Amino acid sequence: MILALVEQRDGAFPADALEVLDVVRDLAHRCGVPGGAVSVGGAGMLARELGARGLDQLHLLRHELLDEDSPQYRAEALAQLVADLSPEAVLAPSDPRSSEVLAEVAARAGLPLATACTAVTPGEPWTVTRERAGGILLEDAELYAPVRLCTLARGAVAGGGVGNGAAGSGGADVTVRTFVPTLDETAPRATLVERRPRAAGVGLASAPVVVSGGRGVGSAEGYRMLEELAELLGGAVGCSRVATNNGWRPHRDQVGLTGTRITPALYVACGISGATQHWVGCMGSKAILAINTDPEAPMVARSTWAVIGDLHEVLPAVIDELHRRSDAAARPGA
């Protein structure tokens, strides 16, 4: 059996969690074992996702203490489930929450943990390719363990890495099993103190288009152009570290090693030199358009397309053209 650790965020299962389900399906097919998922909530929604992907098992962790949303309790519950089922592997997204839970499971069970994997290959032993140094380096490693614990780098499936095995048949009947762990209410743990709602609009990590600005934007007011362009393209606004350091944008908008790692279909980098720290955050983009006055800037060299010019002249022209095309398409008979 191979399991995916899947957790809801804001009442839904995010794209990176669904990617893990696809990987589990493929690995289970290659190993000739059942595939499924383990979760704390969302039984109905998750069961439908599993069935559509050809997975047939869902293990729900149930205990009143799990309502505290404590990673320590969730890790203890998962560790007990792993001890009970002895699965071939447990995989999870490489997000901070899932990584923390699997790290605690590894510590409790005395197992190794392979993080940020871009490729997972079953065999004797299993082999993994994983990102190191924030994605600058790739490491090939052999994984020796009775239960393999792995987190998967975002976009690994789309990139043809871990998720390039057999396609799911879909329409599987899903068996839902409930597992009630034994938890100690006096155990030290972190608890959720406050939950703040996410800002309205498209999230940076899941946006199909990200329009990002760096030092070349010049000021907080300069981001109004980027916000307008992002709205026209149905995307989100990001920034480089210098923008957050200067107080132009909040840290939640930062793209990079110490910010958010993104995988949009299009990344528009405006006035960003493309230092390594920033490149790590955006290198998963399918296409990059760089707008910069310096033709030698690293972002220009790495981009799919580049416009050498002042962003304060280029962006208004792009925005005007998008408005013109939108107005033309809206005219009767267009």
Side-chain angles (χ1 to χ4, degrees):
M1 178 189 309
I2 298 177
L3 295 175
L5 172 62
V6 181
E7 295 200 9
Q8 286 183 306
R9 297 180 208 155
D10 301 324
F13 292 99
D16 53 356
L18 301 182
E19 287 180 356
V20 175
L21 294 181
D22 289 334
V23 174
V24 165
R25 174 201 65 210
D26 295 350
L27 289 174
H29 177 86
R30 295 170 68 179
C31 294
V33 299
V38 54
S39 183
V40 172
M45 185 190 313
L46 184 52
R48 289 191 295 272
E49 291 287 353
L50 291 173
R53 287 167 165 77
L55 298 169
D56 59 8
Q57 294 191 20
L58 173 57
H59 299 269
L60 292 177
L61 303 176
R62 294 295 192 200
H63 197 288
E64 61 181 8
L65 291 177
L66 293 176
D67 294 337
E68 291 189 10
D69 205 23
S70 162
Q72 287 76 27
Y73 277 151
R74 295 197 176 202
E76 177 59 30
L78 180 56
Q80 292 181 26
L81 179 66
V82 167
D84 182 65
L85 297 178
S86 298
E88 295 276 331
V90 179
L91 283 69
S94 192
D95 60 72
R97 175 53 178 264
S98 299
S99 297
E100 180 179 12
V101 170
L102 270 198
E104 294 222 21
V105 171
R108 284 169 164 78
L111 296 169
L113 170 63
T115 58
C117 295
T118 61
V120 178
T121 304
E124 292 298 336
W126 282 34
T127 59
V128 299
T129 299
R130 64 194 194 106
E131 297 178 349
R132 299 297 302 273
I136 301 173
L137 302 175
L138 293 177
E139 173 190 84
D140 292 325
E142 295 179 342
L143 187 55
Y144 295 89
V147 179
R148 293 85 175 178
L149 303 179
C150 305
T151 65
L152 304 183
R154 181 178 176 84
V157 175
V162 290
N164 55 359
S169 58
D173 292 329
V174 178
T175 301
V176 180
R177 297 184 175 92
T178 299
F179 181 80
V180 181
T182 301
L183 301 178
D184 180 4
E185 64 180 358
T186 65
R189 77 272 189 187
T191 58
L192 180 65
V193 176
E194 179 183 5
R195 186 184 297 275
R196 297 185 181 182
R198 185 186 300 273
V202 181
L204 188 62
S206 59
V209 177
V210 175
V211 181
S212 200
R215 188 184 303 275
V217 176
S219 66
E221 292 73 21
Y223 278 86
R224 292 173 184 169
M225 291 185 300
L226 280 69
E227 291 170 352
E228 184 175 2
L229 178 59
E231 183 177 357
L232 288 169
L233 297 176
V237 175
C239 67
S240 66
R241 185 171 183 174
V242 67
T244 59
N245 288 346
N246 288 340
W248 299 343
R249 302 294 294 186
H251 181 265
R252 66 174 179 270
D253 291 348
Q254 183 181 328
V255 175
L257 181 60
T258 56
T260 301
R261 298 182 64 176
I262 59 174
T263 56
L266 174 63
Y267 184 59
V268 184
C270 307
I272 297 175
S273 62
T276 300
Q277 194 273 350
H278 186 80
W279 176 249
V280 167
C282 68
M283 64 183 183
S285 306
K286 307 304 180 292
I288 297 175
L289 169 62
I291 303 172
N292 207 296
T293 57
D294 180 8
E296 303 299 325
M299 185 61 74
V300 171
R302 293 165 169 164
S303 65
T304 313
W305 310 285
V307 177
I308 306 304
D310 188 340
L311 68 92
H312 297 90
E313 298 175 359
V314 174
L315 287 188
V318 172
I319 291 170
D320 288 345
E321 178 62 16
L322 289 174
H323 280 302
R324 185 191 69 78
R325 295 189 181 190
S326 177
D327 292 343
R331 295 191 194 103

